[in-house]
Amino acid sequence: MLLPQNFEQKIGFTTLREQLEANCLSALGRQYVARMEFQTKHEPLLKLLQQADEFAYLLRSGADFPASHYYDPQAHLKRAALPGAYLDVAAFFEVKMSLRTIRQALTFFTQADAGLYPTLRLLGIGVQVDRNLLAAMDKVVDDEGQVRDDASPLLRQIRQELIARQGQLRRQIAGILRHAKAEGWIPGDAEPTIRGGRLVLPVIAEHKRRVKGLIHDESASGQTVFIEPEAVFELNNDIKDLDNAYHRELIRILTALTDQLRPHLPDLRRAYSYLGLLDFIRAKARLAVALDCRLPVMHNKPLLKWHGVRHPLLQLAFAQHKRENGDPREVVPLDLELNHEQRILIISGPNAGGKSVALKTVGLVQFMLQMGLLIPCADNSEAGVFEDIFLDIGDEQSLENDLSTYSSHLLAMKQFLLLAGKKSLVLIDEFGTGTEPSLGGAIAEAVLDQLNQARVYGVITTHYTNLKNFAERTPHLVNGAMRYDPEKLQPLYRLEVGKPGSSFAIEIARKIGLPKSVVERASQLVGKDKIRYDRLLEGLEKEKTELEARTAEATKAEKRLKRAAQEYTDLKQHLEDTRLETLRNAKQQAKALLQNTNQQIEATIGEIRRGQADKEINKKAREKLDTFVRTELQIEPPKPKATRERAEAGDLQPGDKVALFGQEGHGELVSVKGKTAEVLFGGLKTLVKISQLEKLGRAEIREREQAAKAKKSKLSGGSSGGNGVNITDRMAGFSPTLDLRGERAEDALTKTMSFVDDAVMLGMPEIKFLHGRGNGVLRQVVRDYLRSQRAVASVGDEHADRGGDGVTIAVLK
């Protein structure tokens, strides 16, 4: 039972009901919102709460649950039940898409982990959506709500003919339109339009006799007439006939499809009831996520054991205010408990201190819970079930019954005393006010005593000292105070259970500047005992505030100390772990590196032995070993003590003495061409890159000549071929294949000239040029140059398996 009759409006639940309706995706869900009822049985209530809790978990996890096409096709189903009736395309689209949503929802719960959504999974038992029916609808209506062209062979044929005729009509009307515009009969920006289902032209009224045809309509001003040209009469007639035939065939298809749907109506009604229930539960879950609600531990008895409970309407209002104005205000949570030993809470404290808000929070949150909604509380909260909630709050003065405010309160007390029992929750705001204080307090104390004897549960707010004293000495009653800062005269909105609160009336009057004489006179009238009592409560409040501040600071310091100690421990452990890991990795890397080095050395020795002192093989083996040393061992070979700068084009002049960089011999520069130079080495001209040359001074030339003579005197034949040119080294470093792929034609020609000179000088029998196929430019440049050289005996393609015409082979004389 709920009292008064307008309980929902007085407690504020109508706002939450509106929120639920706004969260629904369909009228089906909103119907469930309208049918919500106050639950007094534990098992049904627990099932509703578990459904909402599971769906809230689903939303918080971000699972891909269908959230579209929640249509309400009840009107369509009623029409489909009539023999001979048929549903239109839009109706079949809604039925098809919503049935698809139902199938997706059923599939989601059946495929999910069995332990995640047990109560939601049970909702789908007995719900069926026939696949063949869905397939039949999908064959006629697509996912955009349009009729498919292939819904039937005849429909496709009609559609194709209709499109063809419409194309002819557009072409003909376009020709007439161009001619009429050229003649000035039709405005330049005018386009064909539709009148009576036929394509017409907007003609200026004064030229309407110029266009032969039928006038269908005219504009509101009479300045324009809409004429169907005579030339398109037949095409328009054909299109009209085809359009009629199309609609006849479509109606036949829709009628047959409706006949196919009619036997499934009972299953469809069950399916849509399921869809509406899912929509309703989803709306409850969305509200729970918005308010950060939880499912408390439920008991099958009256109980309130709440932690961190918040007033939901205040929370919504603060959130809205924060979005609009950036105000960071938060709802102050309440902790309270009503159990068998502590059934009635008497809350006292100053005006505007939050007493009424605390009482309304209790009433609204408990009502939410028993309406099947999750509540805004902490995880460790517990709750029970009440059979009745009685509320007396606000001004209930009745003009019709000639009742004063106090009389209406007394009438409410009468109903409470008659109807309340051990499973009732009674909520009374400003108990006993509205009449002479001593009498009002006495009546309130007597009523409170009767309610206590009836073993009701309740929350009562008051300013009366006698009620506070009664609560102190009476079993099952407990005092509570709304915290207040007596220094700043500001409410803290925190409920403290276990002691009464002061109204701070005298202190507030003094702080706001009421005349001192008035304040002192009031104190005398109240009496010393009352003043002493209030001052005692005020002193306790100050001490409580100071103690809380010190405790909070001590707690923060302790947390900082624990955090610092934990960070130190973690850092020490991390360093130790890192040291051990680094040593272990270093040992493993050193072992692997040593093994790789030994393998590389053995491989190099093996290549040298197999090569039988072949210089080319030996050089490649040494280069491979050098590369391994640089990359794997990360050791660079020693650099020469003295380094020379390579020559640049601007530094060289014909006649200069030059040497190949890193070679012992020297020659004379003949000419410079771009990035290459023609050098005379011992009577043999050679093309060399300028970057490979170094310019020599007189002293360097003298040193090189002396070194060459000394070396020549020691050799008995030797393998040097020409002054200053180390032929052996050149042969060791020469590759008979030149890769020109990706080069420009000019650079490729320069490289080819130098490469051919070196090959001729070193006595190579055959050389190759890799130029690729591409557009053939590089191949043409290379072969033209080769054919112009006397030292080249023949030029041809490589074997097809080894590159074909992408490789040029030159045989040297």
Side-chain angles (χ1 to χ4, degrees), residues 433-450:
T433 58
T435 188
E436 197 275 321
S438 60
L439 294 178
I443 294 175
E445 185 174 335
V447 172
L448 182 57
D449 185 35
Q450 285 295 106

Side-chain angles (χ1 to χ4, degrees), residues 5 34 45 153 158 193 243 262 264 279 295 302 325 356 377 383 402 462 466 498 512-513 526 574 595 605 641 768 770:
Q5 296 297 323
L45 174 60
I158 295 172
T193 185
D243 191 56
R262 193 171 289 117
H264 297 278
D279 190 17
L295 172 60
N325 306 308
S356 296
C377 64
D402 195 22
T462 185
N466 68 307
I512 66 175
V526 170
H574 173 71
Q595 183 178 358
I605 293 172
K641 294 181 180 179
K768 295 182 182 180
L770 303 180

Side-chain angles (χ1 to χ4, degrees), residues 542-570:
K542 288 181 180 179
E543 291 178 3
K544 176 75 173 178
T545 303
E546 292 174 0
L547 181 60
E548 283 184 347
R550 292 176 183 175
T551 303
E553 186 60 36
T555 302
K556 289 181 181 178
E558 184 180 1
K559 287 182 179 178
R560 286 195 297 269
L561 183 60
K562 287 183 178 179
R563 186 164 56 250
Q566 185 63 42
E567 288 176 355
Y568 171 77
T569 304
D570 293 345

Side-chain angles (χ1 to χ4, degrees), residues 708-782:
K709 288 179 181 179
K711 187 174 182 179
K712 186 175 181 181
S713 63
K714 292 181 180 180
L715 298 174
S716 58
S719 59
S720 293
N723 292 340
V725 179
N726 192 331
I727 299 300
T728 302
D729 290 344
R730 292 289 293 274
M731 290 183 68
F734 185 84
S735 173
T737 301
L738 177 63
D739 191 349
L740 299 173
R741 290 172 294 184
E743 298 282 348
R744 294 187 302 172
E746 179 182 357
D747 295 335
L749 178 59
T750 302
K751 288 186 177 182
T752 300
M753 294 168 64
S754 177
F755 182 69
V756 172
D757 289 344
D758 286 350
V760 171
M761 181 180 68
L762 298 175
M764 293 292 168
E766 183 181 274
I767 54 179
K768 295 182 182 180
F769 299 83
L770 303 180
H771 43 65
R773 292 184 175 85
N775 52 19
V777 173
L778 289 180
R779 181 174 61 248
Q780 188 67 33
V781 168
V782 170

Side-chain angles (χ1 to χ4, degrees), residues 354-365:
K355 300 190 301 298
S356 296
V357 173
L359 181 139
K360 291 179 181 177
T361 301
V362 173
L364 179 55
V365 171

Side-chain angles (χ1 to χ4, degrees), residues 505-519:
I506 298 297
E507 187 62 27
I508 292 174
R510 183 181 294 112
K511 291 283 187 180
I512 66 175
L514 208 63
K516 185 177 180 181
S517 59
V518 174
V519 176

Side-chain angles (χ1 to χ4, degrees), residues 323-342:
R323 288 192 296 269
E324 295 176 353
N325 306 308
D327 190 346
R329 286 190 300 171
E330 299 289 342
V331 180
V332 179
L334 298 176
D335 295 333
L336 59 90
E337 180 174 358
L338 297 181
N339 53 43
H340 178 70
E341 299 298 326
Q342 181 179 295

